[in-house]
Amino acid sequence: QVQLVESGGGLVQPGGSLRLSCAASRFTLDYYNILWVRQAPGKEREGVSCISRGDETTYYADSVKGRFTISRDNAKNTVYLQMNSLKPEDTAIYYCTADVRPCRARIGLNPRDDYWGRGTQVTVSS
């Protein structure tokens, strides 16, 4: 069974940082374009950052551009999301997803991706 597992969420003060990890088992992440999706309370899911397979081009929603950095370590079958200068409006459940569709078709949108993790909670509050 294909599995994605997110970790690294938690409670952080505004202006702080967190690094999320997305680890895959039973399939190889570097065959897919990996997207980080978040869902805040009462809001629709939003693809906030994506990294493509092969050339590893990165994409960001305007809401996180300049603050978040996505990267992948294919040897560890893991994708990361470094989140800096966190704001209360970044509070959400963060999911990683895998799909062969290109990043530009999913960033900033509510995706219908093939594979999803269970999510990790990020809370930004003083």
Side-chain angles (χ1 to χ4, degrees):
Q1 181 180 355
V2 167
Q3 191 173 27
L4 291 170
V5 178
E6 303 91 341
S7 62
L11 173 64
V12 63
Q13 292 187 343
S17 297
L18 284 174
R19 189 176 82 153
L20 306 184
S21 298
C22 170
S25 61
R26 301 184 181 88
F27 76 113
T28 303
L29 272 183
D30 60 357
Y31 291 162
Y32 297 91
N33 303 306
I34 307 301
L35 180 70
W36 283 97
V37 179
R38 69 184 181 186
Q39 186 166 25
K43 294 190 177 181
E44 196 173 61
R45 288 176 176 171
E46 174 193 27
V48 296
S49 184
C50 189
I51 186 164
S52 62
R53 57 183 175 175
D55 63 4
E56 300 188 3
T57 302
T58 58
Y59 299 79
Y60 300 94
D62 288 343
S63 56
V64 305
K65 202 170 292 182
R67 300 186 298 120
F68 289 11
T69 303
I70 190 171
S71 60
R72 64 195 304 161
D73 185 337
N74 291 331
K76 294 184 178 179
N77 213 21
T78 300
V79 171
Y80 303 98
L81 184 68
Q82 178 67 43
M83 306 187 297
N84 298 329
S85 302
L86 283 162
K87 304 175 181 180
E89 51 264 42
D90 294 318
T91 295
I93 300 174
Y94 284 73
Y95 304 88
C96 64
T97 71
D99 202 284
V100 295
R101 292 180 299 130
C103 285
R104 59 182 174 275
R106 297 142 68 204
I107 196 72
L109 303 175
N110 181 0
R112 300 290 186 262
D113 286 3
D114 286 340
Y115 304 111
W116 289 72
R118 290 190 174 185
T120 185
Q121 176 70 47
V122 171
T123 303
V124 184
S125 175
S126 54

